[in-house]
Amino acid sequence: MPERLLAPEGTSADIGEFTHAGATVIHEDFGSGPHPIVLVHGIGMGRSVYLDLTTHLDGRIIGLDLPGFGEAPEPPRTLTMERHADLVAAYLRSRGISDAVIVGHSMGSQIAAEVAVRHPDVVSALVLAGPTVNSASRSIRAQAGYLLWDLLHERPVVLWRGAREYLRGGPNLVRKMRATIVHRPENAYPRVRVPVLVVRGQRDPLAPMKWCREILDMVPDARFAEIPDHGHGTLISDSGGAADTILDFVRSL
């Protein structure tokens, strides 16, 4: 049985596995209310990194471990961003959800965009936090360099939370990184038809301001928020500020 990681003690939570087309996610679903907030993590991470963030959110919260991350088993083949989106959408349909606010961080932003385009019946809005992959730096070397620079300047909580998950990702991380880099999110963004909030940390090298402006220009209904003095892991390093930004957006829907 998967661990209880996000739901506060004394809170009723549904924790388990969901499998579709040969790939499995671990889900942790708790709270109630419209527009459930679905947390989709980045590469090398898992739902556990959002432990602090969920203490500042309210309503219905769903944390996911994507296939091969966190507690979710490694799939037979590395999933593309499109296949990840199909899996997340199938899970949401299985829960009867048609109004999800998908908070996609880093790689998760690419998956979120594909969910909105491929499966608009399950989503009401997107939050793209530290959106990747910058179209001007689409290579493993460039992205790894930006990630290293970011980690050298991140707060200890980001390193502590992320280290465990990166270690669990193991030898498959390079293959998974390739899957993120070959994806072209700019092909999806102009077709997104739900409200979008783009969030970046002011010092985020993986989501530079130029790239975020491109996304804002491509998405028909997009707004922007920047969290000062934080990097790529701002949902972790400034969980209170990030949660306030997300909740303000959700309440405006």
Side-chain angles (χ1 to χ4, degrees), residues 14 27-39 54 57-63 91-92 94-101 247 250:
D14 185 349
H27 61 85
E28 186 169 354
D29 182 350
F30 60 97
S32 61
H35 302 301
I37 296 172
V38 182
L39 302 173
T54 58
L57 296 173
D58 55 33
R60 185 177 179 182
I61 311 297
I62 299 173
Y91 165 74
L92 294 174
S94 77
R95 313 293 285 183
I97 294 172
S98 61
D99 61 344
V101 176
L247 289 175
V250 173

Side-chain angles (χ1 to χ4, degrees), residues 150-167:
D150 182 71
L151 291 174
L152 290 173
H153 297 84
E154 277 289 7
R155 287 160 170 78
V157 66
V158 176
L159 303 178
W160 175 251
R161 288 275 162 80
R164 177 188 181 211
E165 298 304 332
Y166 268 93
L167 288 172

Side-chain angles (χ1 to χ4, degrees), residues 153-200:
H153 297 84
E154 277 289 7
R155 287 160 170 78
V157 66
V158 176
L159 303 178
W160 175 251
R161 288 275 162 80
R164 177 188 181 211
E165 298 304 332
Y166 268 93
L167 288 172
R168 291 208 289 188
N172 301 299
L173 277 177
V174 172
R175 191 169 70 239
K176 294 170 183 176
M177 187 174 287
R178 287 196 187 99
T180 69
I181 290 171
V182 300
H183 178 246
R184 298 292 187 266
E186 64 268 25
N187 293 336
Y189 288 139
R191 296 183 288 147
V192 172
R193 293 295 181 265
V194 296
V196 170
L197 174 66
V198 177
V199 180
R200 76 178 294 266

Side-chain angles (χ1 to χ4, degrees), residues 120-133:
D121 58 300
V122 300
V123 62
S124 62
L126 303 180
V127 177
L128 308 176
T132 50
V133 171

Side-chain angles (χ1 to χ4, degrees), residues 96-114:
I97 294 172
S98 61
D99 61 344
V101 176
I102 301 180
V103 178
H105 174 236
S106 195
M107 177 189 76
S109 69
Q110 297 172 245
I111 297 169
E114 290 293 346

